[in-house]
């Protein structure tokens, strides 16, 4: 929907014609200089993959960083493959009598991709409009439960998903649960007691996440046996010997990506401080502009995201037009809902009103560890311009 007056007014705001676009995310991974010592190790050992020394070191250090001791983490080639490894290790492949995987529709497509790779038919469920989560109580009462072989709980935008209620659900129903905690690196490190346990969590270490190895992922779990099975699943099902003993694929992290991960862990305190500063500046400027209650930053969500939570579709469109006019990139990180993606159109699903509302109203704003005060000023000014373009909004917006 194109709001006529609102968009024209936004376009009329004075914007320097030569202003460079601000990208929605501007990752900063370790420099060549910081990588060099780790790459030199690879030159010496000439081990490039197959769970070599650097992957082992990275797994241990990541596990310690998350407060899980030495062996709570198994690296993977991506977050999507970490999900697949966790699924195969906990639920195995889909069975004919339980072919369905309950999957919230407000997530990134990878959640459903991983379920399909393990043979499950995704069944899309809605999320709570306030928590943005598919909650354990919603799963317990689901009418299709006797045909469900897997539940995917998603931690949207890096919010934590608590273990206790999902572990109880799994115990009571016998249905395995896997948490897509792609962007939860910071939350896991802050609350390992609540967020890590028997239910496996898949992390993404993709470049658009707060902590990254370029491409990468990890399975995080307190159950050592499950972690061993995930490791085997991501190595052709090989369990120690070259005998394929369970469903598997190649989802191993390479030594090169582990090198990036080790250098990124060394730089993590600086990275974290830089993201904190950007989030703080966003919050302060949004409050000054009267839209502090609509701009969502860390620590509620992961530092790689800043979201504008529009009240409705009209406000979302006005804000989007103003951002575009000011040459500011934005993104609906999870799209309109997985049920509206062509690949998943035919999947069974519930009514999804909250998914559709959140898909329209949660607008990803630019974020970067080095996002400058100047850039944030430009972004918040564009939000303000968009909001002023909606009649009657002014008085309302300034109350926040
Ligand atoms: C990033 C992300 C993934 C995919 O991770 P990759 O590392 O890109 O495979 C999956 N689920 C969610 C919710 C994500 O945000």
């Amino acid at each position: 929907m194109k709001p006529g007056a609102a968009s024209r007014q936004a376009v009329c705001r004075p914007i320097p014609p030569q202003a460079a676009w601000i990208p929605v995310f501007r990752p900063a991974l370790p420099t060549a200089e910081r990588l060099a010592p780790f790459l030199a190790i690879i030159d010496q050992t000439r081990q490039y993959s197959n769970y070599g020394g650097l992957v082992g070191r990275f797994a241990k250090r990541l596990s310690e960083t998350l407060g899980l001791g030495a062996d709570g983490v198994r690296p993977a080639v991506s977050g999507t493959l970490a999900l697949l490894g966790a699924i195969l290790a906990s639920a195995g492949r889909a069975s004919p009598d339980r072919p369905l995987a309950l999957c919230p529709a407000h997530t990134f497509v990878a959640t459903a991709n991983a379920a399909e790779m393990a043979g499950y038919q995704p069944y899309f469920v809605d999320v709570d409009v306030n928590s943005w989560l598919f909650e354990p109580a919603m799963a317990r009462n689901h009418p299709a439960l006797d045909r469900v072989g897997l539940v995917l709980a998603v931690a949207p935008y890096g919010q934590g998903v608590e273990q206790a209620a999902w572990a109880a659900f799994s115990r009571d129903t016998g249905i395995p649960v896997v948490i897509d905690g792609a962007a939860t690196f910071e939350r896991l490190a802050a609350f390992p007691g609540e967020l890590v346990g028997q239910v496996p969590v898949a992390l993404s270490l993709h470049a658009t996440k707060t902590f990254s190895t370029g491409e990468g992922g990890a399975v995080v779990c307190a159950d050592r046996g499950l972690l061993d099975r995930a490791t085997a699943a991501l190595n052709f099902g090989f369990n120690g010997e070259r005998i394929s003993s369970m469903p598997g694929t190649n989802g191993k992290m390479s030594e090169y990506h582990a090198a990036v991960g080790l250098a990124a862990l060394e730089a993590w305190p600086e990275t974290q401080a830089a993201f904190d500063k950007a989030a703080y500046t966003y919050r302060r400027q949004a409050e000054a502009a009267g839209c502090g209650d609509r701009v969502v930053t860390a620590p509620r969500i992961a530092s790689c995201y800043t979201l504008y939570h529009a009240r409705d579709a009209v406000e979302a469109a006005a804000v989007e037009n103003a951002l575009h006019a000011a040459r500011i990139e934005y993104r609906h990180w999870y799209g309109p809902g997985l049920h509206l993606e062509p690949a998943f159109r035919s999947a069974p699903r519930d009514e999804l009103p909250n998914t559709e509302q959140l898909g329209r109203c949660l607008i990803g704003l630019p974020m970067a560890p080095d996002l400058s005060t100047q850039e944030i000023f430009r972004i918040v000014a564009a939000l303000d311009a968009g909001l002023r373009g909606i009649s009657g909004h002014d008085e309302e917006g300034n109350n926040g």
Side-chain angles (χ1 to χ4, degrees), residues 122-355:
Y123 181 114
F124 295 123
V125 290
D126 210 5
V127 294
D128 182 87
V129 74
N130 294 311
S131 70
W132 309 344
L133 297 168
F134 177 56
E135 308 271 6
M138 298 157 81
R140 277 184 190 269
N141 298 326
H142 200 278
L145 209 57
D146 60 354
R147 302 193 64 231
V148 169
L150 168 70
V151 174
L152 290 159
V154 173
Y157 309 101
Q159 297 186 88
V161 168
E162 298 209 349
Q163 287 272 322
W166 280 118
F169 167 88
S170 210
R171 216 170 33 240
D172 296 347
T173 61
I175 300 171
V177 178
V178 171
I179 296 173
D180 180 352
T184 55
F185 174 80
E186 295 154 285
R187 298 304 276 178
L188 298 190
F191 304 104
E194 288 76 31
L195 305 183
V196 181
Q198 301 298 311
V199 180
V201 181
L203 270 184
S204 166
L205 306 176
H206 183 257
T208 52
K209 302 303 200 284
T210 311
F211 175 79
S212 174
T213 55
E215 289 278 7
V219 183
V220 183
C221 191
D223 178 342
R224 200 66 53 79
L226 192 151
L227 286 177
D228 287 342
R229 291 195 298 282
T231 306
L234 297 178
N235 189 26
F236 312 104
F238 290 164
N239 200 349
E241 303 143 72
R242 283 179 69 84
I243 297 168
S244 190
S245 55
M246 66 179 288
T249 186
N250 182 2
K252 302 189 297 295
M253 176 178 274
S254 81
E255 292 289 283
Y256 286 105
H257 290 86
V260 178
L262 285 163
L265 279 174
E266 277 185 0
W268 172 241
E270 296 153 51
T271 309
Q272 186 173 34
F275 271 120
D276 284 352
K277 180 165 173 279
Y280 173 77
T281 306
Y282 250 120
R283 283 197 302 277
R284 243 192 22 200
Q285 294 200 13
E287 277 158 26
C291 58
D293 57 335
R294 312 310 292 177
V295 173
V296 187
T297 69
R300 174 166 178 201
I301 55 175
S303 289
C304 54
Y305 303 110
T306 294
L307 301 174
Y308 183 83
H309 190 175
R311 286 175 178 78
D312 52 34
V314 173
E315 185 179 292
V319 161
E320 287 166 17
N321 280 318
L323 289 169
H324 185 83
R327 302 168 75 81
I328 295 161
E329 196 188 5
Y330 62 85
R331 183 170 299 166
H332 292 270
W333 284 102
Y334 297 161
L338 296 197
H339 61 300
L340 297 174
E341 301 285 342
F344 298 116
R345 280 258 161 86
S346 61
R349 64 181 181 89
D350 294 336
E351 293 293 301
L352 303 167
N354 297 338
T355 294

Side-chain angles (χ1 to χ4, degrees), residues 23-27 274-275 278 282 303-304 366-372 375:
V24 74
F25 193 65
R26 193 168 58 207
F275 271 120
Y282 250 120
S303 289
C304 54
M367 197 52 184
D370 60 345
L371 196 66
S372 69
E375 288 171 305

Side-chain angles (χ1 to χ4, degrees), residues 13-38:
R13 305 276 305 176
I15 287 121
Q18 75 283 20
W21 275 89
I22 304 178
V24 74
F25 193 65
R26 193 168 58 207
L29 268 66
T31 59
E33 196 184 343
R34 295 189 93 140
L35 273 179
F38 298 103

